[in-house]
Amino acid sequence: MKDAPEIVVLPGDGIGPEIVSATREVLDALGDFNYDERLMGGCSIDADGVALTDEVLDACKAADAVLLGAVGGPKWDTTNPDEPRPEQGLLGLRKGMGLYANLRPVRPSPALMGASPLREDRISGTDLLVVRELTGGIYFGKSGREGDAAFDTCEYDASEIDRIARVAFDAARRRAEGSGRKPKVTSVDKANVMETSRLWREVVGRVVPDYPDVDFENMLADNAAMQLVSRPADFDVLVADNLFGDILSDEAAMLTGSLGMLPSASLGADGTPGLFEPVHGSAPDIAGNGIANPLATFLSAAMMLRHGLGMPDEAARIEEAVDKALEDGLRTPDLAGGPAAPPPMVDVPPEVEVGTAEMTAAVIEALN
Ligand code: IPM
Ligand code: MG
């Protein structure tokens, strides 16, 4: 038998520890995993003065995969550039592990159609993937402050753009496999304004001929923001730089009605362990109340099984179990439709509001 995979677990701050421990229960119901729990984020600042220690970064690099909860909270909010911030841990991990490709799939669950702020006929059929460049651009360029002036710089080179474009085209192909539909990639930029975007458009354009089976379009970022809410079902794979990808993935996430549903995978070169985390934040306002929605972390664990550990069947079992719990009407408070929610078009049993523990138990039961 193969050795149990080594997973570095970074629960982080706020609701992070609750949703990660719920996810460990789900994983344990599926197989054998070794966990190495470490501090990262605000909790690491409190313990060690920095959001990410070299020791934790090294442990992550040596693992088979890294599972993360969420980081940050008002306790560590500061505008003083000399004070450590929890987010530095996340950025340090992305850069330190070379995780240049961030995959954020958005597929509204049929049972949750009523929870979206958009009309059901608009979002119906939406199934898209945001591929975000994660280790370059304005996030990692030179920045500074001189008195009352400040600057950030955005830099990209062709190799960084080429590799993320290929991730997007490969993902589009994989997603369409066996479906009979033609895959499509939409590349997002501001080539009308930014020089990095003009390079982006040029380099992506050089990759296009290698994928004649994939439809392709360029779209300006502001237009993409608009099209995402007006006709989300027309998108397949969106590829964008670090900042546009950050913004558009939150927008796309809201199509599902809850940021609490969206998983993500951050991947590097072949053989590099991936980092898997929910898209939502640490929700410090509800931390410790037992009502956090663990589903995005369960779905992130599914992405970990599929993309990081070569266990696609187990991944699908988690995804099906999450769908089942929702179809049975279970809702954490963030998903529960208020009285104003329109009746969903599909038949679903009445909603039952549950906490983290009940949702977890229901998903585990649905696994079997
Ligand atoms: C995300 C988050 C991070 C980002 C923050 C917490 C630094 O918004 O993962 O999308 O901007 O990348
Ligand atoms: Mg973000």
Side-chain angles (χ1 to χ4, degrees):
M1 211 183 97
K2 252 176 69 187
D3 283 347
E6 300 286 339
I7 302 173
V8 167
V9 177
L10 307 171
D13 311 313
I15 58 169
E18 302 160 52
I19 54 179
V20 160
S21 89
T23 305
R24 283 180 56 165
E25 285 179 50
V26 171
L27 286 169
D28 287 340
L30 277 174
D32 250 350
F33 301 93
N34 287 330
Y35 307 102
D36 178 10
E37 280 212 11
R38 303 286 187 137
L39 299 180
M40 197 278 286
C43 55
S44 173
I45 293 176
D46 289 348
D48 299 305
V50 288
L52 173 69
T53 63
D54 290 343
E55 194 191 328
V56 171
L57 175 60
D58 288 342
C60 290
K61 285 184 185 167
D64 292 313
V66 180
L67 181 68
L68 168 67
V71 295
K75 181 174 177 196
W76 307 280
D77 256 345
T78 170
T79 51
N80 180 346
D82 300 326
E83 301 252 310
R85 298 185 58 91
E87 295 82 3
Q88 289 164 346
L90 200 51
L91 300 181
L93 274 176
R94 290 172 181 171
K95 196 70 172 177
M97 297 174 70
L99 305 173
Y100 63 84
N102 185 223
L103 311 186
R104 297 185 167 182
V106 177
R107 187 183 58 92
S109 146
L112 287 181
M113 285 292 179
S116 171
L118 296 185
R119 285 205 317 266
E120 195 172 337
D121 58 306
R122 283 276 164 106
I123 50 167
S124 173
T126 299
D127 182 352
L128 61 86
L129 172 71
V130 178
V131 175
R132 169 186 174 194
E133 200 291 324
L134 206 57
T135 49
I138 206 155
Y139 275 66
F140 294 97
K142 195 165 174 258
S143 65
R145 177 91 68 94
E146 284 143 31
D148 267 354
F151 66 96
D152 296 281
T153 44
C154 180
E155 278 183 53
Y156 271 109
D157 68 35
S159 69
E160 292 172 303
I161 301 167
D162 178 271
R163 66 184 179 181
I164 195 70
R166 289 180 192 281
V167 169
F169 278 97
D170 288 337
R173 260 188 190 162
R174 209 169 41 237
R175 284 161 54 84
E177 236 164 51
S179 73
R181 74 174 171 82
K182 196 165 184 206
K184 182 167 107 185
V185 170
T186 303
S187 174
V188 174
D189 63 40
K190 277 293 282 181
N192 53 345
V193 177
M194 292 165 61
E195 200 52 47
T196 43
S197 279
R198 286 189 275 271
L199 179 70
W200 180 278
R201 195 170 275 217
E202 192 182 306
V203 175
V204 175
R206 279 184 229 147
V207 175
V208 174
D210 290 347
Y211 296 84
D213 51 318
V214 181
D215 279 339
F216 174 76
E217 64 183 347
N218 288 302
M219 197 176 281
L220 296 174
D222 47 351
N223 186 27
M226 190 264 279
Q227 303 290 348
L228 259 178
V229 287
S230 64
R231 46 178 194 92
D234 289 350
F235 289 97
D236 180 3
V237 173
L238 285 121
V239 59
D241 80 359
N242 208 340
L243 185 61
F244 297 145
D246 176 50
I247 296 166
L248 292 179
S249 61
D250 263 31
E251 187 192 5
M254 203 53 213
L255 299 173
T256 64
S258 174
L259 209 47
M261 287 303 301
L262 284 221
S264 80
S266 302
L267 307 173
D270 280 349
T272 313
L275 172 79
F276 303 86
E277 58 172 319
V279 170
H280 63 71
S282 62
D285 51 322
I286 59 160
N289 296 351
I291 57 166
N293 179 355
L295 297 179
T297 319
F298 295 171
L299 295 172
S300 301
M303 290 190 89
M304 174 176 83
L305 295 171
R306 179 176 294 115
H307 297 281
L309 301 176
M311 301 170 72
D313 296 341
E314 287 82 353
R317 278 177 69 197
I318 294 186
E319 289 158 352
E320 282 157 24
V322 166
D323 278 345
K324 173 80 169 51
L326 291 170
E327 275 157 28
D328 288 346
L330 270 67
R331 300 284 185 276
T332 44
D334 57 304
L335 297 176
M345 287 190 328
V346 288
D347 277 339
V348 282
E351 291 185 1
V352 196
E353 200 168 304
V354 297
T356 313
E358 287 160 286
M359 184 63 99
T360 305
V363 169
I364 291 173
E365 201 191 305
L367 282 177
N368 305 312

